[in-house]
Amino acid sequence: VEAGEAPAALVMAYDEASLLATLRAAIPRFDEPLGIGDDAAILDGHVLTTDMLVEDIDFTSAIPIEFVAAKSLAVNLSDLAAMGARPRAFLLSLGLSPSARSQFDRFVAGIAGAAARYEVGLIGGDLSAAEKLIISITAIGTAPERPLLRSGARRGDRLFVSRALGGSVAGLRLLQNGWRISTTGVVTPPAAFDYGVREVATAAMLRHVAPEPECELGPKLATMPEVSACIDISDGLSIDLARLCEASGVGAVIDVERLPPLPGLPETARALGVAVEAAVLHGGEEYALLFTSTLRESELSQRCGRPVFSIGRITERPGVFIDRDGTEEPLEAKGFDHFRA
Amino acid sequence: VEAGEAPAALVMAYDEASLLATLRAAIPRFDEPLGIGDDAAILDGHVLTTDMLVEDIDFTSAIPIEFVAAKSLAVNLSDLAAMGARPRAFLLSLGLSPSARSQFDRFVAGIAGAAARYEVGLIGGDLSAAEKLIISITAIGTAPERPLLRSGARRGDRLFVSRALGGSVAGLRLLQNGWRISTTGVVTPPAAFDYGVREVATAAMLRHVAPEPECELGPKLATMPEVSACIDISDGLSIDLARLCEASGVGAVIDVERLPPLPGLPETARALGVAVEAAVLHGGEEYALLFTSTLRESELSQRCGRPVFSIGRITERPGVFIDRDGTEEPLEAKGFDHFRA
């Protein structure tokens, strides 16, 4: 794999989507107004979402198990945040491998820390034996009065991301290249690296192993009628934007100049072996929010009480394009798919 | 393993309980009045439960995948039924092994059939790749006005089961002995068997591969103030009764004469290689309801519109005992634990 290219497992295929479509077609939703298709389902004031993480598919033993545990909760809370829901409680099912059993106290410490931080209670669970560690979480949030959906983007809206991108896939690349990170956030490079590189490497690895769901921002955006659509970037900006556009029946143009890379990443990219633009456009597991609004960047940042980044605009023309010096090119939707490898 | 003895995986140990206790102690439940400990959690009018099934731990490829799929939903609905909740919706996470992917349409047909039968909608899910098939389901029900809990049993209450027992573990034993069942319910013995035996074998295998949750009975019991406590028999009568007694701070005496075995099982036990009393007392995966009430069997059966079986009584003395011809012996709690093998 060429330095900076997405690893094989991160190349998108539509296989997961087609399997999900088969399920959706076969099983009716009965009385639900919303269901699979947005980041979470809404049921009588509750927002529900579920995610399963499997060892050696979704994570490896290169990541300390405390991080894996906390991240497994965080990715679910990110789905709630994308709909503007405040997290409330979760259910946890574990398939425990022998090695995971021996590290069970560390797993518990990791997930308990995340639960305390986001104030979500554990209300149920199931344990099973397994050959590989399997973590399946269902998170429940309180639905806002006006949930954020993927389908609300309109022509002329500005396109926003909630924070700088590219760090997670850069951190994954570093892990694959032999870098390690301790539970206290101390990184160990496989060889001698200068201090400046190490600082960015730490930030990138933390983005990957300890992503922060936008639990404050999501509910805040849901209170603003000027925010029209939202999704979290779990599989990559290009693919998640394509999903938002498809759900809204619109297109989008990204201004390449406005894309915010993880600070320091462009300057250290060569040393770290990361292709910055690909990391920003296609890197998964960011858990930033991608949303649309009629508001300007300055006004929206002020209302959010923190910076958010306008990266382009919504168009009537379908499809996602990228504007490089005034020339618009189609942007291929690449991202994570479990069934391509 | 002696014929009729519980297989190794069905012997109870308290390891799963201690792992769960570690989790519960570490992660607060915040504002929940009820949580882990009953069959499901209650949250603002919803009842939630989750179960994970792992290939070669919880089921094998000897069972057609349509049955596995339907059963994975049924076991969750049984937890809802045990609290008196009507099923409403579910979320489904799958770790798909290569062989499961090739049988995906059959899996979908199985779970879609169960969803339609119990009128539960699929409202969310996640797919991952995995080496073995993993099925993780969270089911959501509508909480009754007065949810059934494990903790309500009182001295003098009668103890009931909702149907005949022993079939599921007998069916499992047959599968282990080479019997097979098709998706249409046709059984194939490993050798020549007479017709009478085959009929009971079919009933037993269906109990194991296609258990029926008590989705009608549970909500009905919840409307009766005379019903004091309830649990579903997922791990075995002896262990689930011990749990009910512990939660209620009481004991129980089972009258061995009143235990209802699967019809025909005693007569065919020797031919099928099943120890009937052990199967009835300790066999898991029954998904019958075990409940307590001040009402008599005839009165309760009439109110339920179907037979239910009084099998003993609740005592002030703690512990579970079995009455054989007037002599009470302690009943060892045996059942299923994933971590004992």
Side-chain angles (χ1 to χ4, degrees):
Chain A
V1 178
E2 193 190 324
E5 238 179 47
L10 291 178
V11 178
M12 179 67 194
Y14 285 88
D15 203 338
E16 182 172 0
S18 79
L19 291 174
L20 275 170
T22 303
L23 268 170
R24 291 167 65 181
I27 307 176
R29 284 180 291 125
F30 294 98
D31 58 350
E32 302 324 314
L34 297 162
I36 291 183
D38 257 275
D39 291 278
I42 302 178
L43 190 72
D44 300 335
H46 283 143
V47 175
L48 299 112
T49 188
T50 192
D51 263 300
M52 177 185 280
L53 300 180
V54 180
E55 186 176 357
D56 291 337
I57 302 282
D58 299 293
F59 61 89
T60 71
S61 57
I63 304 176
I65 196 167
E66 291 89 340
F67 285 128
V68 171
K71 183 173 175 177
S72 67
L73 182 56
V75 302
N76 281 281
L77 301 187
S78 181
D79 284 330
L80 299 184
M83 298 194 72
R86 289 204 180 278
R88 181 91 194 273
F90 71 109
L91 300 101
L92 170 68
S93 284
L94 290 175
L96 286 175
S97 60
S99 74
R101 288 193 68 195
S102 71
Q103 302 180 85
F104 188 70
D105 289 345
R106 292 176 54 198
F107 181 91
V108 171
I111 202 154
R117 176 165 178 192
Y118 298 107
E119 292 185 15
V120 288
L122 177 67
I123 59 167
D126 189 29
L127 295 178
S128 183
E131 286 168 33
K132 298 282 177 83
L133 174 60
I134 307 153
I135 309 163
S136 179
I137 288 182
T138 298
I140 303 114
T142 306
E145 204 169 306
R146 184 188 68 103
L148 296 170
L149 302 180
R150 299 177 177 185
S151 54
R154 295 294 169 257
R155 177 176 59 134
D157 285 352
R158 288 181 180 82
L159 184 64
F160 292 88
V161 290
S162 64
R163 61 186 174 216
L165 301 176
S168 182
V169 77
L172 173 61
R173 170 57 48 92
L174 292 173
L175 282 164
Q176 290 167 336
N177 289 348
W179 290 68
R180 289 295 175 265
I181 185 162
S182 77
T183 54
T184 53
V186 177
V187 304
T188 313
F193 274 79
D194 71 46
Y195 185 77
V197 170
R198 195 185 295 228
E199 198 172 16
V200 176
T202 303
M205 291 176 79
L206 281 172
R207 284 288 171 97
H208 186 72
V209 302
E212 297 189 25
E214 297 279 20
C215 293
E216 291 299 320
L217 183 64
K220 196 171 280 185
L221 294 177
T223 66
M224 302 179 196
E226 300 89 351
V227 173
S228 48
C230 188
I231 189 172
D232 72 326
I233 302 180
S234 52
D235 294 338
L237 172 60
S238 60
I239 179 69
D240 288 317
L241 176 55
R243 288 169 177 152
L244 184 147
C245 287
E246 199 184 330
S248 296
V250 296
V253 179
I254 291 174
D255 182 349
V256 75
E257 299 285 317
R258 300 186 66 102
L259 285 171
L262 183 75
L265 193 59
E267 297 79 359
T268 55
R270 182 175 297 267
L272 296 177
V274 174
V276 179
E277 192 184 290
V280 171
L281 284 174
H282 307 301
E285 301 197 81
E286 288 285 354
Y287 306 108
L289 295 183
L290 173 68
F291 54 101
T292 58
S293 175
T294 51
L295 295 175
R296 290 175 180 277
E297 184 183 277
S298 56
E299 166 80 5
L300 195 45
S301 294
Q302 198 190 355
R303 288 218 217 164
C304 292
R306 53 172 272 193
V308 294
F309 304 90
S310 168
I311 61 165
R313 61 186 196 281
I314 297 298
T315 60
E316 191 162 11
R317 174 191 60 188
V320 175
F321 293 80
I322 186 157
D323 183 337
R324 299 180 198 276
D325 297 323
T327 310
E328 292 180 3
E329 305 162 6
L331 177 66
E332 199 187 344
K334 293 180 189 169
F336 187 86
D337 189 280
H338 294 294
F339 296 102
R340 173 80 173 268
Chain B
V1 181
E2 192 189 323
E5 238 180 46
L10 292 178
V11 178
M12 179 68 194
Y14 284 88
D15 205 338
E16 182 170 1
S18 78
L19 291 175
L20 275 171
T22 303
L23 267 172
R24 291 166 65 181
I27 307 177
R29 285 180 291 122
F30 295 96
D31 58 350
E32 303 322 314
L34 296 162
I36 290 183
D38 257 274
D39 292 278
I42 302 178
L43 190 73
D44 300 334
H46 283 143
V47 176
L48 299 111
T49 187
T50 192
D51 263 300
M52 178 186 278
L53 301 180
V54 180
E55 186 175 357
D56 291 337
I57 302 282
D58 300 292
F59 61 89
T60 72
S61 57
I63 304 176
I65 197 167
E66 292 89 340
F67 285 128
V68 171
K71 184 173 174 177
S72 66
L73 181 57
V75 302
N76 280 282
L77 301 186
S78 181
D79 284 328
L80 299 184
M83 299 195 72
R86 289 205 179 277
R88 180 91 193 274
F90 72 108
L91 299 100
L92 169 68
S93 284
L94 291 175
L96 287 174
S97 60
S99 74
R101 288 194 68 196
S102 71
Q103 302 180 86
F104 189 69
D105 289 346
R106 291 176 54 199
F107 181 91
V108 170
I111 202 155
R117 177 167 176 189
Y118 298 107
E119 294 186 13
V120 288
L122 176 68
I123 60 166
D126 188 31
L127 295 179
S128 182
E131 285 168 33
K132 298 283 178 81
L133 174 60
I134 307 152
I135 309 163
S136 179
I137 287 181
T138 297
I140 303 112
T142 305
E145 204 170 306
R146 186 187 68 102
L148 296 170
L149 302 179
R150 297 177 178 185
S151 55
R154 296 291 168 260
R155 176 176 58 133
D157 285 352
R158 288 181 180 82
L159 183 64
F160 292 88
V161 291
S162 64
R163 59 186 175 218
L165 301 176
S168 181
V169 78
L172 174 62
R173 171 57 47 94
L174 293 172
L175 281 165
Q176 290 166 337
N177 288 348
W179 290 70
R180 289 295 175 263
I181 185 163
S182 76
T183 53
T184 53
V186 177
V187 303
T188 314
F193 274 80
D194 71 46
Y195 184 77
V197 170
R198 194 184 297 229
E199 198 171 15
V200 177
T202 303
M205 292 176 79
L206 281 173
R207 283 286 170 98
H208 186 72
V209 302
E212 296 188 23
E214 296 279 20
C215 294
E216 291 298 321
L217 183 64
K220 195 171 281 183
L221 294 176
T223 66
M224 302 180 195
E226 300 89 350
V227 174
S228 49
C230 187
I231 189 172
D232 72 327
I233 301 179
S234 51
D235 294 339
L237 171 61
S238 60
I239 180 69
D240 289 316
L241 176 55
R243 289 169 178 154
L244 183 148
C245 287
E246 199 185 331
S248 296
V250 297
V253 179
I254 291 173
D255 182 349
V256 74
E257 298 285 318
R258 300 186 66 101
L259 285 171
L262 183 75
L265 193 59
E267 297 80 358
T268 56
R270 181 175 297 269
L272 295 179
V274 173
V276 178
E277 191 184 290
V280 171
L281 284 174
H282 308 300
E285 302 199 81
E286 287 286 354
Y287 306 106
L289 295 184
L290 173 68
F291 54 100
T292 57
S293 175
T294 50
L295 295 175
R296 291 175 179 277
E297 183 181 279
S298 57
E299 166 80 4
L300 195 46
S301 295
Q302 198 190 355
R303 288 218 216 165
C304 292
R306 53 172 272 192
V308 293
F309 303 90
S310 169
I311 62 165
R313 62 185 196 282
I314 297 297
T315 61
E316 191 161 12
R317 173 190 61 185
V320 175
F321 293 80
I322 187 156
D323 183 338
R324 298 179 198 276
D325 297 324
T327 308
E328 293 182 2
E329 306 162 3
L331 178 65
E332 198 187 343
K334 292 181 189 170
F336 188 87
D337 189 279
H338 293 295
F339 297 103
R340 174 80 173 267

